[in-house]
Amino acid sequence: MLANWIEDQILLGAAQAGLTMTAALLVVLVTMRLKLGLQKEILIGLVRGLGQIVLVGFLLIIIFSANLWIAVPVILGMIIAASVMTIRRIHNLNNALWISFLGIACGSGLVITVMTLLGVIEQELTSIIPIGSMMVYGAMNANALMMERFHAELASHVGQVEAGLSLGAPPDRVVQPYARRAVTAALTPNVNGLQSLGIVWIPGAMAGMVLSGENPFYAGFYQFVVSGSIFVTAAITVLISVVLLRKQVFSKADQLLIRAEERG
């Protein structure tokens, strides 16, 4: 309907963004009424998201015309930003930023490099950067979920952890059940995404390939490659991070550094 009223493409996009913003503001009003305390973050996310994605649209024109190696600093910048965003809600975890960076860098860096060298991802900026950004984004979300859940599990089971330590159990053994729950919670959305692929959601990239004349079988295979790579990236990131993180919740004397009063 908007397209029938507005012919200018920029004005049409602004109108569509305005309607989306209005719908999001209604959600903000609901969160305020329920006293969820999310309104500030949602508002900042809406404003930043709109500004960032429009700016990136212009930057991509420059990036896609550059040398292939520009993908390295671009992806590295994404990894750094993702590492910072991962720990926004993480408190009192030693070296959380560095752990997040190492996990995301190893997970996304390894998968992107291997997939590109093997030719699974085309060696073109128009493929490497968009697909790479999806992998970094997936790794960021999974890592944030794992860290938050691991911290919450330990804060909720301080007594059990300290009892295990007092009986002589090694720290890694004591926190193993809580680390397992954190990893499971972090990877569940990715597993659900794989299971629902093509049934609950049809990715826009795949639909675009089919509409542009690509073989439907190839479009399906390629979309699976992308989704599967995102899962592998998230899994590697979370596993590396949890191994590093569980060593940071204890002092040199094997005392738990997280206290029960940090919950909630």
Side-chain angles (χ1 to χ4, degrees), residues 102 157 170 197 250:
L102 287 173
H157 299 86
L197 188 62
F250 294 100

Side-chain angles (χ1 to χ4, degrees), residues 14 18 38 52 69 78 86 114 132 148 164 177 192 198 201 208:
L38 293 173
Q52 288 168 182
W69 287 104
M78 293 178 183
T86 295
V114 172
E148 289 186 32
N192 288 342
W201 68 290

Side-chain angles (χ1 to χ4, degrees), residues 165-179:
L165 293 173
S166 66
L167 294 173
D172 285 352
R173 180 69 176 273
V174 174
V175 300
Q176 184 176 355
Y178 311 116

